[in-house]
Amino acid sequence: MNTWANRRDYLFRSTKGLIALAIALIALITAVWGTLSGPMAEWGVRDITIRILGMDIHPEQREGRIIMLYHVIAMAVVAIETYMITSTVRMSKEEQGNINGLVTIGYLLTMFFGLGFAYFGHNYAFHGLFILGQSLLFFAGCLLAKVLWPWNKSTYLEKGSPYAKTPKGIDLERVAFFTMTVATLGSACFGAVTGSFWGNGHETFLAEDLIRLPHKTPLQLSIIGHLHIMLTLVAVAITLLVGRWLDFKGIWHKISMPLMIFGSITITLGVWTVVPYQNLAHTIIYVGAVFTMTAALMLVIFGWKKLISERLAEQGITKANVFQGIRALVHDPLKFGPLWQMVFMNFTVSGVGIFMAIKLDKIFRIWPGREERITLTGHWHILAALIATIIILYYADMCGLKGKARQWFGWVVIIGSDIAFASITIFSMKRGFVSTYDQQPLVDWTMIFADFGLGAIMVVLAMLLLWRIYDFMNEKGAWQQESGELQLDRITAEKKDSVETEEVVR
Amino acid sequence: MNRMKVITLMTVALLAGVSTGTACAQENRKIPIFDTGINPNSWVTVAKGDFFKGQHKKETAVNYDYEIMVTPVTNAQYAEYLNSASAKGTITTKDNKVFGFYPGDKFHKYKHEFEIKAGDKLHMALDAQGLAIEARDGKFAVKSGWENHPVVQVTWFGAKAYCDSKGGRIPTEIEWEKAARGTDTRAYPWGNEITSAHANLYASKDPFEKGFGKQGTTTPVGFYNGRSYNGFQTKDARSPYGLYDMAGNVWQWSGDVFPKTHYRWMRGGSKSNYDFELRVYNKNSAGPDFHEIDIGFRCAKNK
């Protein structure tokens, strides 16, 4: 009996257990719901899924279903990032427990009742619980913002700290986390307030369906801003978390954090400005994006240097040539991967987005609206999926993957995702270099490569999760040791140890 | 070494498996010829009255009766029109392109708006891929087998000129949608379910996809009428007013010219789209000089 209680505590109270549960649920949903569209629908798998699960799907509800599915997955990702924040940023056990508990109940309510409402009959009690779940997440966010308050003197950094701080000692990384959290809460309101007008001036729509309308209502603009800024802030959060994971510090950290704070504020205000001043908003957003991306570049430079120097030191090489340096850099795919994905993002997300902005009227708006829509949705989905791969790589590292398993898992995720996202980018931009008439072979090729890449990731993730389930069934499994671990890594503890406070998690 | 061989073989097999080369242009290849029994010259009357517009089913009034073509305009019909219009001098052909006069649109200088000035506008590029109409000995003719397929690669200007010549117009979005949906709230012209037997859509495995890939080619107008074609059983996919091809096959231009934008809207989805694009309220858009292998039109006129 105690064993099962321990298992429950692991899944619902330990950081690694909570993250594992959320990743497993997202993976399951992705695998099942992925059969409802694209090639899976072509092959008839969609019909089988609908029949077996007893889904109740009406064509006119497609947009609403998709929006709820986005929220279901997004809330679970927000939960994962919150678990990571509460376990790597200094706060008391009580605060961590309160926030994690609210987030967990919130995303589970959102997930089960959101999917229940969207795909299994429109039971409005389920819709209410879906909203309640998100409300709890919002409340947890408010608590997190309070806990992260960076002007609490007990969180100040000591003189000589290698981390970014003000002359008074204010921890600028904490300010960055705080800024991101507050910006997320404010941006969530843009969706929530608009949602409250549903049926009373607001109607369900997908943003990509409005792209060519000369006039959009304030509620529509609000939603367009909401979805863009939420994903951007999820990306900012994961960048900060990767920094924690790799113990980002020193001069690069000191340059990066102010840029990230300023960039997060600017980009958020820019997106909020979309509603009253749409034309001006884009300029502000571009400025903010330059700062946040430069901050991320600092992390990449720091991280790559660190990976190389640590590996070379392990090998006892004091003067390495270029090839030795590259080998050292890619030695550990789980740590190289997240940084590489941030670089790769520039080709498949930022690059595409900037190119679209520059050539919108000359290229993309000459195409049929449907093709422009594919490019838009393509590069945003890729950003979301890139963030997911970074989380997966981080989780694999948490699990303590070693040896060949570590190498295979890391490289399959990196190469599989990059093949898939490059293929999807080519697919989404196909109109630029092949006519509709000639596009079928290209469509077939890119779909095969995209499915192959994504399928490979799903397979290795499934193997990792199966291993974790097997371990979970074993009374003396690794989960037993992980149960009591509220912190994610040694680095956090070291950093925290530099500040004396009774409330700090030790 | 052995591992490399296996990887190489697998790669070759993968590449061979996805290769669907188009050695010969679609319109020059032999295609199945089917008589659907539907007369493309027929029109139906849509009686005045309210209908439910769009995804959110807004009750919308249409205070007049109008007529609308039962099928999209075919290659044969358009070629005949080109010959007639050429003889009358309302269109001109230059550099393998057909042009006609358009009086222009009011320009609002709005963001992303292109100015449509008065002048000769492109109606059809005779060298466009997938076009089954050709100029032969000074006359326009249809390539064999494509006569009863919907005309494609025609611009909005070309569609308007055709409908004008028949004393009609391109249907407005509202006219098109009411004709497709009728007076209830169905998502597709025939109801709420869609299968590959209802319409020509992407990967629908119709007889015209064989050899042409999942995008396939257009199907003859009125193809989905409940008949069986060489074993391919279709369902009767008429709209409540008896219109065919209101979902799939070709996108259809709508006639509205909205302020602050030069875009023209299209309805119905095409052979290149998944099923959700075929819902009666789904839209596509492009400039009025745009033409494509899956864009056609039909006409409407006042009763």
Side-chain angles (χ1 to χ4, degrees):
Chain A
M1 190 62 192
N2 272 345
T3 316
W4 288 107
N6 289 344
R7 287 192 169 100
R8 182 200 60 210
D9 283 352
Y10 171 70
L11 279 183
F12 293 100
R13 298 189 71 177
S14 76
T15 298
K16 289 183 183 176
L18 286 166
I19 293 173
L21 181 65
I23 287 179
L25 288 171
I26 295 173
L28 192 63
I29 290 169
T30 306
V32 174
W33 266 257
T35 65
L36 298 180
S37 58
M40 290 293 193
E42 282 171 38
W43 300 334
V45 182
R46 172 175 65 179
D47 297 335
I48 296 168
T49 303
I50 290 171
R51 198 169 56 245
I52 289 175
L53 296 182
M55 287 180 172
D56 184 9
I57 288 179
H58 294 277
E60 75 272 18
Q61 292 162 358
R62 177 177 181 272
E63 284 71 14
R65 281 198 301 273
I66 288 174
I67 291 165
M68 293 189 87
L69 182 59
Y70 283 159
H71 280 84
V72 162
I73 294 174
M75 291 307 114
V77 170
V78 167
I80 291 169
E81 290 194 334
T82 307
Y83 300 142
M84 289 176 174
I85 293 170
T86 59
S87 64
T88 53
V89 182
R90 277 168 290 156
M91 62 184 68
S92 71
K93 274 183 184 177
E94 190 188 5
E95 287 165 338
Q96 182 183 21
N98 287 340
I99 293 166
N100 286 358
L102 277 170
V103 161
T104 306
I105 297 168
Y107 96 80
L108 288 174
L109 280 173
T110 305
M111 183 175 279
F112 289 109
F113 293 105
L115 292 177
F117 178 82
Y119 291 88
F120 299 95
H122 273 19
N123 181 333
Y124 275 87
F126 285 11
H127 192 274
L129 291 165
F130 167 73
I131 301 289
L132 174 65
Q134 289 173 90
S135 305
L136 289 176
L137 277 153
F138 185 84
F139 184 52
C142 294
L143 280 184
L144 182 63
K146 178 190 168 289
V147 168
L148 289 176
W149 180 253
W151 291 274
N152 177 348
K153 285 194 176 169
S154 67
T155 65
Y156 282 16
L157 296 176
E158 291 172 338
K159 199 175 177 185
S161 167
Y163 302 97
K165 64 179 185 61
T166 66
K168 281 187 178 176
I170 297 168
D171 181 348
L172 288 180
E173 194 173 272
R174 196 177 186 92
V175 177
F177 274 111
F178 174 77
T179 306
M180 179 275 301
T181 305
V182 173
T184 303
L185 290 168
S187 303
C189 292
F190 275 66
V193 169
T194 307
S196 70
F197 281 91
W198 193 78
N200 187 25
H202 173 61
E203 289 168 338
T204 305
F205 69 91
L206 293 179
E208 58 266 28
D209 289 335
L210 306 184
I211 45 177
R212 290 186 176 181
L213 293 183
H215 176 72
K216 298 172 188 73
T217 67
L219 292 179
Q220 287 170 337
L221 288 169
S222 180
I223 289 294
I224 292 167
H226 167 75
L227 65 96
H228 281 87
I229 190 62
M230 294 306 272
L231 185 56
T232 304
L233 291 167
V234 166
V236 167
I238 198 67
T239 307
L240 291 170
L241 285 163
V242 170
R244 276 278 156 132
W245 175 24
L246 299 179
D247 193 17
F248 189 19
K249 62 185 172 187
I251 185 66
W252 297 110
H253 189 258
K254 288 173 180 174
I255 302 169
S256 174
M257 284 307 122
L259 292 176
M260 187 62 97
I261 295 162
F262 182 74
S264 300
I265 294 170
T266 309
I267 206 165
T268 303
L269 291 178
V271 173
W272 290 2
T273 311
V274 163
V275 179
Y277 306 108
Q278 195 183 348
N279 293 343
L280 177 66
H282 277 100
T283 308
I284 303 172
I285 292 165
Y286 295 148
V287 172
V290 167
F291 283 97
T292 51
M293 287 171 70
T294 309
L297 176 66
M298 306 285 161
L299 169 63
V300 172
I301 293 169
F302 166 84
W304 283 13
K305 280 180 73 171
K306 179 182 164 116
L307 291 179
I308 292 168
S309 58
E310 283 182 355
R311 178 61 184 163
L312 291 176
E314 271 175 30
Q315 292 174 310
I317 301 172
T318 48
K319 212 172 182 184
N321 60 35
V322 176
F323 297 106
Q324 285 171 320
I326 292 171
R327 284 189 69 178
L329 174 64
V330 300
H331 170 71
D332 181 358
L334 296 191
K335 288 194 170 165
F336 167 74
L339 300 170
W340 166 249
Q341 298 293 67
M342 287 181 196
V343 174
F344 188 73
M345 182 202 72
N346 288 290
F347 304 114
T348 54
V349 182
S350 314
V352 174
I354 292 166
F355 185 58
M356 277 196 85
I358 294 169
K359 294 287 183 186
L360 187 64
D361 284 331
K362 287 195 173 158
I363 297 178
F364 297 92
R365 289 269 160 115
I366 303 297
W367 299 353
R370 185 178 167 273
E371 295 286 343
E372 186 190 351
R373 201 178 63 177
I374 290 171
T375 312
L376 281 171
T377 52
H379 86 283
W380 274 99
H381 279 80
I382 289 170
L383 176 56
L386 277 169
I387 294 168
T389 60
I390 293 173
I391 290 174
I392 290 169
L393 290 166
Y394 192 176
Y395 175 67
D397 185 55
M398 275 177 221
C399 292
L401 272 189
K402 286 186 174 69
K404 281 197 171 179
R406 189 178 179 92
Q407 291 290 326
W408 273 96
F409 184 89
W411 285 116
V412 168
V413 170
I414 296 167
I415 295 170
S417 63
D418 290 359
I419 286 174
F421 302 150
S423 300
I424 293 164
T425 302
I426 293 167
F427 171 81
S428 74
M429 303 282 281
K430 63 185 177 300
R431 181 81 205 188
F433 43 85
V434 63
S435 68
T436 307
Y437 182 87
D438 289 323
Q439 75 180 17
Q440 192 62 54
L442 182 105
V443 169
D444 292 340
W445 280 71
T446 50
M447 285 297 104
I448 290 279
F449 281 113
D451 288 344
F452 172 76
L454 295 175
I457 296 170
M458 293 300 280
V459 167
V460 292
L461 180 59
M463 288 167 74
L464 177 68
L465 292 173
L466 284 172
W467 168 56
R468 294 302 305 184
I469 290 170
Y470 175 77
D471 178 81
F472 191 57
M473 292 296 137
N474 183 352
E475 275 187 35
K476 292 178 181 170
W479 67 273
Q480 283 278 21
Q481 284 119 44
E482 292 173 2
S483 278
E485 294 175 14
L486 293 172
Q487 293 167 217
L488 275 181
D489 49 45
R490 168 186 56 80
I491 293 156
T492 310
E494 280 174 5
K495 186 169 175 183
K496 282 169 190 167
D497 283 343
S498 67
V499 178
E500 284 190 8
T501 165
E502 286 303 310
E503 289 192 337
V504 163
V505 180
R506 291 183 188 278
Chain B
M1 191 60 189
N2 280 339
R3 192 189 295 172
M4 282 306 293
K5 277 182 186 170
V6 171
I7 291 171
T8 308
L9 281 172
M10 283 173 68
T11 308
V12 170
L14 181 71
L15 299 184
V18 296
S19 178
T20 57
T22 49
C24 179
Q26 280 183 9
E27 62 278 14
N28 293 329
R29 290 168 71 172
K30 268 201 163 183
I31 55 160
I33 297 174
F34 299 114
D35 178 10
T36 63
I38 307 300
N39 179 7
N41 289 311
S42 52
W43 297 61
V44 293
T45 299
V46 178
K48 67 180 176 185
D50 296 355
F51 83 106
F52 295 98
K53 177 174 163 282
Q55 183 182 4
H56 302 293
K57 303 162 191 167
K58 286 191 178 149
E59 207 165 347
T60 303
V62 180
N63 298 319
Y64 53 91
D65 296 343
Y66 60 95
E67 286 187 283
I68 189 164
M69 291 175 72
V70 165
T71 71
V73 173
T74 64
N75 284 312
Q77 288 173 312
Y78 203 79
E80 188 189 335
Y81 150 76
L82 287 175
N83 285 321
S84 161
S86 184
K88 286 178 190 165
T90 55
I91 57 166
T92 53
T93 306
K94 192 180 168 189
D95 298 334
N96 232 7
K97 290 180 172 58
V98 179
F99 295 92
F101 180 76
Y102 181 71
D105 295 335
K106 190 178 175 188
F107 184 45
H108 304 82
K109 295 183 182 173
Y110 207 67
K111 197 177 180 189
H112 303 303
E113 184 187 10
F114 287 4
E115 186 173 12
I116 310 291
K117 291 179 181 169
D120 278 349
K121 303 293 178 189
L122 178 67
H123 285 196
M124 178 175 272
L126 294 168
D127 52 1
Q129 291 174 305
L131 179 63
I133 293 176
E134 59 189 349
R136 219 184 286 151
D137 305 326
K139 288 275 183 190
F140 295 96
V142 181
K143 290 174 182 171
S144 178
W146 295 89
E147 291 83 354
N148 64 349
H149 285 245
V151 64
V152 292
Q153 296 284 20
V154 58
T155 67
W156 183 89
F157 296 122
K160 183 179 186 308
Y162 177 93
C163 292
D164 287 349
S165 77
K166 303 296 174 189
R169 60 180 181 276
I170 309 175
T172 63
E173 284 197 277
I174 285 177
E175 288 170 344
W176 192 98
E177 192 172 323
K178 183 180 177 187
R181 191 177 221 177
T183 53
D184 59 25
T185 59
R186 64 188 63 193
Y188 300 102
W190 53 86
N192 283 314
E193 300 289 328
I194 184 167
T195 68
S196 57
H198 281 108
N200 182 4
L201 67 155
Y202 188 74
S204 58
K205 300 181 179 65
D206 66 58
F208 294 88
E209 282 190 7
K210 280 178 190 160
F212 293 102
K214 293 171 189 170
Q215 203 181 180
T217 69
T218 53
T219 45
V221 296
F223 186 75
Y224 294 87
N225 59 6
R227 288 191 181 190
S228 177
Y229 305 92
N230 289 352
F232 182 77
Q233 180 64 51
T234 64
K235 293 199 172 176
D236 186 357
R238 274 179 298 176
S239 81
Y241 291 104
L243 276 67
Y244 291 94
D245 296 288
M246 292 300 268
N249 211 9
V250 289
W251 285 100
Q252 294 165 41
W253 289 112
S254 62
D256 304 270
V257 179
F258 292 110
K260 299 180 180 176
T261 179
H262 63 285
Y263 290 117
R264 307 301 199 255
W265 300 92
M266 293 171 254
R267 295 301 198 99
S270 82
K271 67 187 180 65
S272 313
N273 302 136
Y274 282 124
D275 51 10
F276 68 88
E277 299 271 25
L278 275 57
R279 294 173 300 176
V280 291
Y281 40 78
N282 264 60
K283 300 181 183 193
N284 198 357
S285 63
D289 55 352
F290 185 79
H291 54 91
E292 187 52 277
I293 56 166
D294 61 349
I295 299 176
F297 69 102
R298 70 178 74 208
C299 304
K301 60 185 174 188
N302 292 336
K303 175 82 173 154

